[in-house]
Amino acid sequence: MGQGQSPARVGFWAISLLALVLAAPLLVVLTAPWHTAAPEWAHVSVAILPVAARETGLLLLIALCTAWLIALPSAWLVATTEFRGRRLVSWALVLPLAMPTYIAAYTFAGLLGPTGSISNWSAAHLGVRPDIVHLPGLGVVLGLVLFPYVYLPARAAFAHGMTTQREAAALLGATGLRAFLRIGVPLARPALAAGSLLLAMEVINDFGAAKHFGVRTLTTGLFRSWGGLYDLGSALRIGMVLIGGMALLLWIERHLRRNRSFQTDQVPTERIRLRGAKSWLATAWCMLILFFTAGLPLASIVADVFQPGSSWLDAGLGQALTNSLLVAAGAALLVLSIAILLTYRERHGRRADLAVRAANLGYAIPGAVIAVGAMAIAGPLDRSGWHGPVLIGSLGLLLYAYAARFLAVGTQPLFGALRSQPRALDESALVLGASAWRVFTRINLPLLRPALLAAAMLVAIDVMKELPLTLILRPFNFETLSTAAYRSASIEQLREASRPALLIVLCAVPPVLLLNRLLQRQRP
Amino acid sequence: MTASLLGIHDARVALGGRDVLRGINLQVSEGEVMIIVGPSGCGKSTLLRAIAGLQRLRSGHIQLDSETLSGDGIHLPPQHRHTGMVFQGLALFPHLTVKANVGFGLAGSSRAERERRVNEELVSVGLEGLGDRYPHQLSGGQQQRVAIARSLVMRPRLLLMDEPFSDLDSTTRAEVRVEVLRIIREHGVTAVIVSHDREDAYHLGDRIAVMDRGRIARVARADEVRMEWEAHPFST
């Protein structure tokens, strides 16, 4: 708006304050040593922290390597070649994202664990009993279900701006695998770094899968400190370490992207038609990936759900589904309301507001860390006596923590869509006498409707899948689909866990396909 | 021509640390159509935005009908200047009908009053019967007239137009230019129009201000400038 407006400053300050409230759990964790004692820290820092840090690092490395091995060749094939079934696998390879990591872990453990169905069959017929329930096994499982985080940006990067470079490389004798390794991967490095960061966030956020596989990560260490040792101070300090780890990963990602924003021609890459055996091989590779990452776990869940004699939707599961939908809708509504205000501030107020930036960092912080941060805020308020103990164990605190964690999921689609609205629309409304708020509500907001819908769906599904935060903050006896799946799996009732798992996956598929569509429309 | 309506005195604007307008002086009389021409990047659009209040002055004054709009610590926001502006690309609201676009600025009026004024304006620009359409359902020339009607319905003291014909092909451009001039004359409104096109300048302007590198190089009657340009086609 140039510099000509005199915005309603009080409103903008109020919005900044709201953003600060949402950033509070993060700030509370970062300042833990100054306000919360940690009586068990001497033990935790020696017995839990070093092992947890080492195992988290190893897990991350294995998951990343697995994901790269799967995602890069698949994305290259889909984006730069034409083969049988390409259109199908192009979107179907995104489907594993619909499966939360803990559900994938339960499923793979049910198939390839020490007493898994495939392991039993193999022991009986081949004399070998496979067992993937260990750290490397979990790394591979996480890589299998999280690889779309790398596949999506890689596909987008390969799909644009590679034609000229590939033709030049071909003239210089580099085709096929050499072109992929020497041209494709290096040019796509910024996109790969961004995708790998998202994957790393998911691995670090995971609690259910690591717990089930007995891997001692920082997140399970945080749970142990809080739930086992009853020491919130130590849990907050582990949270600090986790935030430090995330900051390091963000720094590495920025460093990898720095000066790597290659100028490419941005025209759609011309796909080369593969023929004969090459075409079949490409199809076989993609189908194999699809089978192991989506088909096999999904088939296993469906088979468990529809076992003869098992009841499909009993009262308990019905209640969990209702609760999940309730918190998903509530959180989506809350996040969207706040996101709309932040979007207004972004468009019509002073930008680069620190509070807004801090509030948007929640998505990079593991759910368990946000949860203990929220506990550390709510505890003293509850104990202060001015309102009684109403916050801890309340639906309100749970929704607040969801909003703190998933605010960026709501704001980013809105900010992105807003940037594509020409400033002249606002200016033209201003010249016609409209106030900044009227411009926003009459012009900007109606044009944001598709982005609002996308943001609401993405927030809702993230909330439905979220486990560690829900486990820590849910009201007493309040079961959601994710906690129901966790509860059954934690007592080795994997068939029981499959019913809520299937419901979560079914709910997650439409938003995942929507995300795929949105990304396909965007150029890298 | 009568008394001076718009007065700009030593106006300076800096953007990103760079001087974009360097001491602009310009007087526009009541009922006059002033065309501002000049090469790309010379500051034409910035001058228009400064008059509209979308850009602050670093120094100098802008006055409209003896009221200070900018200068001396005053910066009247765009919504209080009673100027109308037709933007480059038109900036029609794509989700609103023609009627809603034209009536957007009449939020303070009663429903009946708004309806009456919108209908009157649509008739005056030759768009009667098209009020329920959306901008994308109109031709380029019709969209142009919606943008003008949207500004004129506010009864502005001054109409500003930024490259109003830039999106039109040459045949449509000539037709729309005649139509726009008719509308401006009929409304008796004072107008400042930015254009890079000499044909626009000849046909629309009473006077032409030639800008160069943030300054007004000269101001002259349109017929004088036209004769000069025809004699020296490559001069600015």
Side-chain angles (χ1 to χ4, degrees):
Chain A
M1 230 43 40
Q3 309 134 29
Q5 312 320 308
S6 52
R9 287 181 197 284
V10 177
F12 290 141
W13 277 111
I15 294 170
S16 290
L17 194 66
L18 186 65
L20 200 63
V21 169
L22 285 184
L26 172 67
L27 302 175
V28 163
V29 174
L30 285 175
T31 53
W34 289 279
H35 55 72
T36 306
E40 302 295 336
W41 182 241
H43 166 69
V44 170
S45 61
V46 175
I48 295 180
L49 195 59
V51 181
R54 189 174 62 242
E55 297 206 355
T56 302
L58 271 173
L59 193 65
L60 206 53
L61 194 66
I62 296 168
L64 276 172
C65 289
T66 309
W68 287 333
L69 278 175
I70 297 170
L72 294 183
S74 311
W76 179 256
L77 284 171
V78 166
T80 68
T81 66
E82 196 63 66
F83 57 90
R84 281 169 203 280
R86 190 196 69 81
R87 285 171 72 92
L88 170 77
V89 293
S90 173
W91 64 264
L93 283 173
V94 182
L95 285 176
L97 274 189
M99 193 163 299
T101 49
Y102 51 92
I103 287 172
Y106 305 154
T107 312
F108 276 101
L111 293 169
L112 289 158
T115 56
S117 44
I118 294 178
S119 299
N120 287 343
W121 180 89
S122 171
H125 295 88
L126 307 173
V128 182
R129 181 176 287 282
D131 178 11
I132 61 156
V133 181
H134 42 60
L135 190 151
L138 180 61
V140 172
V141 168
L142 293 180
L144 281 176
V145 289
L146 296 175
F147 88 91
Y149 280 113
V150 181
Y151 165 78
L152 279 169
R155 186 187 67 184
F158 293 150
H160 285 92
M162 294 269 171
T163 304
T164 323
Q165 284 83 357
R166 256 188 342 161
E167 285 171 353
L171 286 172
L172 296 166
T175 55
L177 183 64
R178 194 152 164 245
F180 166 63
L181 292 174
R182 298 292 305 276
I183 306 295
V185 174
L187 283 181
R189 203 184 304 171
L192 298 183
S196 303
L197 178 72
L198 286 175
L199 187 144
M201 284 180 189
E202 290 289 335
V203 171
I204 290 175
N205 182 50
D206 171 74
F207 166 70
K211 181 86 189 323
H212 196 69
F213 273 54
V215 177
R216 294 162 296 179
T217 63
L218 286 165
T219 303
T220 59
L222 184 150
F223 265 84
R224 206 171 139 207
S225 304
W226 171 73
L229 302 170
Y230 301 104
D231 183 4
L232 183 62
S234 291
L236 287 169
R237 282 158 180 77
I238 293 182
M240 282 178 75
V241 175
L242 276 164
I243 292 172
M246 288 312 306
L248 179 68
L249 287 173
L250 275 167
W251 180 82
I252 293 172
E253 189 253 355
R254 288 278 152 86
H255 186 71
L256 284 174
R257 283 203 297 162
R258 200 178 52 185
N259 303 326
R260 301 282 179 189
S261 178
F262 303 112
Q263 197 65 44
T264 55
D265 49 24
Q266 295 301 300
V267 290
T269 300
E270 204 174 304
R271 285 193 289 273
I272 297 169
R273 178 165 289 285
L274 299 179
R275 296 182 190 283
K278 281 185 178 173
S279 173
W280 285 111
L281 269 175
T283 309
W285 165 265
C286 291
M287 288 298 178
L288 202 68
I289 300 298
L290 198 56
F291 174 73
F292 277 111
T293 58
L296 183 64
L298 196 62
S300 164
I301 292 174
V302 171
D304 279 346
V305 168
F306 293 104
Q307 277 232 332
S310 68
S311 63
W312 165 223
L313 192 67
D314 58 29
L317 188 61
Q319 187 59 53
L321 176 64
T322 310
N323 289 346
S324 274
L325 292 174
L326 181 78
V327 290
L333 199 66
L334 182 62
V335 166
L336 265 268
S337 309
I338 298 166
I340 285 171
L341 292 174
L342 297 190
T343 312
Y344 166 62
R345 196 192 191 302
E346 165 83 5
R347 183 72 164 195
H348 296 281
R350 185 171 53 84
R351 268 164 278 161
D353 182 61
L354 266 180
V356 175
R357 282 190 186 183
N360 274 307
L361 277 179
Y363 197 59
I365 310 300
V369 178
I370 298 278
V372 290
M375 292 277 285
I377 296 167
L381 287 175
D382 270 356
R383 285 192 298 273
S384 68
W386 63 274
H387 57 50
V390 293
L391 289 177
I392 290 183
S394 70
L395 211 52
L397 188 65
L398 183 65
L399 290 178
Y400 162 71
Y402 282 142
R405 169 108 169 89
F406 296 119
L407 181 66
V409 182
T411 54
Q412 291 317 310
L414 299 190
F415 283 4
L418 199 63
R419 275 194 284 273
S420 67
Q421 287 184 18
R423 284 269 172 194
L425 287 181
D426 304 24
E427 292 175 347
S428 135
L430 279 171
V431 171
L432 290 167
S435 64
W437 180 247
R438 184 158 183 260
V439 175
F440 184 70
T441 52
R442 288 293 311 278
I443 307 298
N444 302 136
L445 208 51
L447 293 172
L448 285 176
R449 225 174 283 159
L452 281 167
L453 182 69
M457 279 179 83
L458 293 173
V459 171
I461 199 57
D462 264 332
V463 167
M464 283 186 95
K465 286 162 69 177
E466 169 62 45
L467 177 65
L469 186 154
T470 315
L471 274 177
I472 294 177
L473 293 178
R474 66 184 164 147
F476 180 69
N477 236 358
F478 186 84
E479 206 78 86
T480 66
L481 290 175
S482 61
T483 61
Y486 168 77
R487 185 178 45 77
S488 299
S490 62
I491 50 172
E492 291 298 330
Q493 290 185 336
L494 293 181
R495 282 190 182 143
E496 278 296 304
S498 63
R499 293 180 304 143
L502 183 62
L503 285 175
I504 294 175
V505 173
L506 288 178
C507 291
V509 167
V512 163
L513 294 179
L514 173 80
L515 180 72
N516 180 52
R517 252 182 95 113
L518 289 174
L519 288 174
Q520 268 183 329
R521 278 193 207 152
Q522 286 174 4
R523 279 152 61 129
Chain B
M1 311 295 150
T2 54
S4 169
L5 178 82
L6 174 72
I8 304 174
H9 311 280
D10 198 25
R12 291 167 192 272
V13 168
L15 289 174
R18 194 173 68 89
D19 285 337
V20 180
L21 299 184
R22 310 165 184 216
I24 297 281
N25 288 292
L26 188 68
Q27 307 291 319
V28 181
S29 306
E30 181 104 51
E32 186 181 19
V33 177
M34 170 71 78
I35 309 291
I36 300 176
V37 295
S40 293
C42 70
K44 306 184 294 284
S45 294
T46 307
L47 174 59
L48 219 56
R49 291 170 61 80
I51 300 169
L54 296 165
Q55 190 64 56
R56 275 181 191 273
L57 294 187
R58 199 176 74 172
S59 63
H61 296 85
I62 297 177
Q63 289 179 316
L64 189 65
D65 212 5
S66 306
E67 181 192 7
T68 300
L69 303 181
S70 301
D72 285 337
I74 295 170
H75 179 83
L76 207 60
Q79 56 268 42
H80 298 142
R81 292 193 172 207
H82 303 292
T83 54
M85 183 156 173
V86 175
F87 287 77
Q88 186 170 12
L90 306 180
L92 296 179
F93 307 132
H95 59 300
L96 300 182
T97 61
V98 167
K99 271 186 183 169
N101 260 283
V102 174
F104 186 87
L106 301 173
S109 314
S110 69
R111 196 190 175 93
E113 168 72 1
R114 193 161 62 230
E115 188 107 342
R116 186 186 63 75
R117 281 175 66 179
V118 167
N119 286 334
E120 257 177 36
E121 207 55 56
L122 288 180
V123 170
S124 84
V125 299
L127 287 176
E128 61 269 38
L130 299 180
D132 292 326
R133 295 206 185 166
Y134 286 89
H136 69 272
Q137 296 171 316
L138 303 177
S139 69
Q142 288 169 331
Q143 290 181 2
Q144 185 80 41
R145 282 183 274 167
V146 176
I148 295 172
R150 188 173 67 176
S151 294
L152 291 179
V153 78
M154 302 292 292
R155 310 272 188 268
R157 293 186 289 181
L158 178 68
L159 179 66
L160 307 167
M161 299 177 88
D162 189 3
E163 300 279 7
F165 314 115
S166 60
D167 289 343
L168 302 177
D169 62 70
S170 55
T171 318
T172 318
R173 191 182 183 107
E175 287 168 13
V176 174
R177 201 163 45 209
V178 172
E179 186 61 15
V180 166
L181 190 60
R182 177 191 69 76
I183 295 166
I184 290 174
R185 294 293 187 216
E186 274 183 16
H187 281 76
V189 68
T190 310
V192 178
I193 303 174
V194 158
S195 177
H196 66 275
D197 189 283
R198 289 180 174 188
E199 290 274 321
D200 291 348
Y202 301 155
H203 289 101
L204 289 173
D206 296 315
R207 285 193 300 157
I208 295 173
V210 182
M211 277 189 74
D212 186 30
R213 281 171 284 184
R215 289 196 174 89
I216 299 229
R218 64 180 296 217
V219 182
R221 282 160 46 100
D223 48 2
E224 281 173 32
V225 179
R226 180 178 190 167
M227 278 196 293
E228 231 173 84
W229 278 343
E230 282 173 354
H232 307 283
F234 300 108
S235 64
T236 52

